[in-house]
Amino acid sequence: MKIHLATDTQLEEITKHDHDCPPSLLGEVVEEMLNRNLFDRMITHCCKMVFGSFNRMKELHSMELEDFLQIGRTAVFKAVKMFEPGKGKSFSSFVHMFIKQRIVECIKFLERDRRDQRNEFRDIETEDGLNMFYFMPSQTNVEKFVINKIMIEDFLNQLTERQRQVMELYLKDHNFEEIAEMLGRKGKGRSLNKTYNDAMKKLRKGA
């Protein structure tokens, strides 16, 4: 099946009604649907189920819908790897539940992180007696930082242990020859450069 030639309806029918779709084909279908933003309507519906309305979502967390669409798209990418066909449940119903659960988890994470930051700064004052809490970044920026942190952690979980090691060391400003020596692979810098590039391709595909 040439996935890129399928209509939106045909792709959605596979995720809704084909309970025995082979994982490889399902992965291709889901990737094409993500490229066409076909899961955005489902993610929006999940947000409404969690918050009731978008106005309430903004009031509580100062977040835009696009922020949660990114969370939902990441959840879809992760869900396709966890889905087990042939158990009487469609991928569509499985991913709907998974997206909703992921949004709830992110909200709990945001609330805990915000509470921790407030507790950290609340009792610290400047020489002029101003509470340091007022010098924190805006709530929107803090929460978007946490959203990005969650997404990065999800993406890193897609990597092999070696890919994670190489990427983390490279981001700490070590070159590939240094990394090779640190990992007991002296002289294999070029090989680890390829490991890094493979990891980046995997992360871009999941983004």
Side-chain angles (χ1 to χ4, degrees), residues 165-183 189 192-193 196:
Q165 289 175 332
V166 172
M167 178 161 286
E168 289 171 0
L169 289 171
Y170 184 77
L171 292 176
K172 292 178 181 178
D173 293 328
H174 295 289
N175 62 46
F176 293 112
E177 291 300 331
E178 291 173 336
I179 294 172
E181 189 167 351
M182 295 168 73
L183 297 180
L192 294 186
N193 189 349
Y196 174 83

Side-chain angles (χ1 to χ4, degrees), residues 63-196:
M63 302 294 291
E64 299 295 332
L65 175 60
E66 182 59 32
D67 298 309
F68 286 99
L69 285 175
Q70 290 297 335
I71 290 291
R73 292 165 188 154
T74 305
V76 173
F77 186 85
K78 190 173 183 179
V80 75
K81 296 182 178 182
M82 299 174 62
F83 180 68
E84 297 181 21
K87 293 195 172 183
K89 178 180 288 189
S90 69
F91 177 75
S92 181
S93 60
F94 175 78
V95 76
H96 186 278
M97 176 188 67
F98 193 85
I99 291 170
K100 182 181 175 183
Q101 181 183 15
R102 191 64 178 139
I103 291 173
V104 171
E105 289 174 355
C106 287
I107 293 306
K108 290 180 179 179
F109 190 100
L110 288 170
E111 291 174 345
R112 184 173 65 250
D113 187 81
R114 190 189 315 127
R115 185 168 57 249
D116 290 345
Q117 291 193 53
R118 284 175 174 170
N119 290 337
E120 181 178 350
F121 287 95
R122 181 173 284 115
D123 298 326
I124 303 176
E125 295 184 348
T126 66
E127 293 180 359
D128 297 327
L130 294 175
N131 194 297
M132 287 295 291
F133 178 71
Y134 296 104
F135 291 93
M136 289 179 61
S138 70
Q139 188 179 53
T140 300
N141 290 339
V142 170
E143 294 189 344
K144 286 187 177 181
F145 170 79
V146 176
I147 286 286
N148 290 335
K149 181 179 178 183
I150 292 170
M151 293 177 65
I152 290 170
E153 288 174 350
D154 277 346
F155 290 155
L156 288 177
N157 286 334
Q158 301 167 23
L159 305 180
T160 65
E161 182 63 26
R162 177 53 54 84
Q163 287 173 333
R164 283 181 66 105
Q165 289 175 332
V166 172
M167 178 161 286
E168 289 171 0
L169 289 171
Y170 184 77
L171 292 176
K172 292 178 181 178
D173 293 328
H174 295 289
N175 62 46
F176 293 112
E177 291 300 331
E178 291 173 336
I179 294 172
E181 189 167 351
M182 295 168 73
L183 297 180
R185 302 190 64 192
K186 189 173 182 178
K188 298 291 185 179
R190 182 174 296 181
S191 173
L192 294 186
N193 189 349
K194 183 179 184 303
T195 299
Y196 174 83

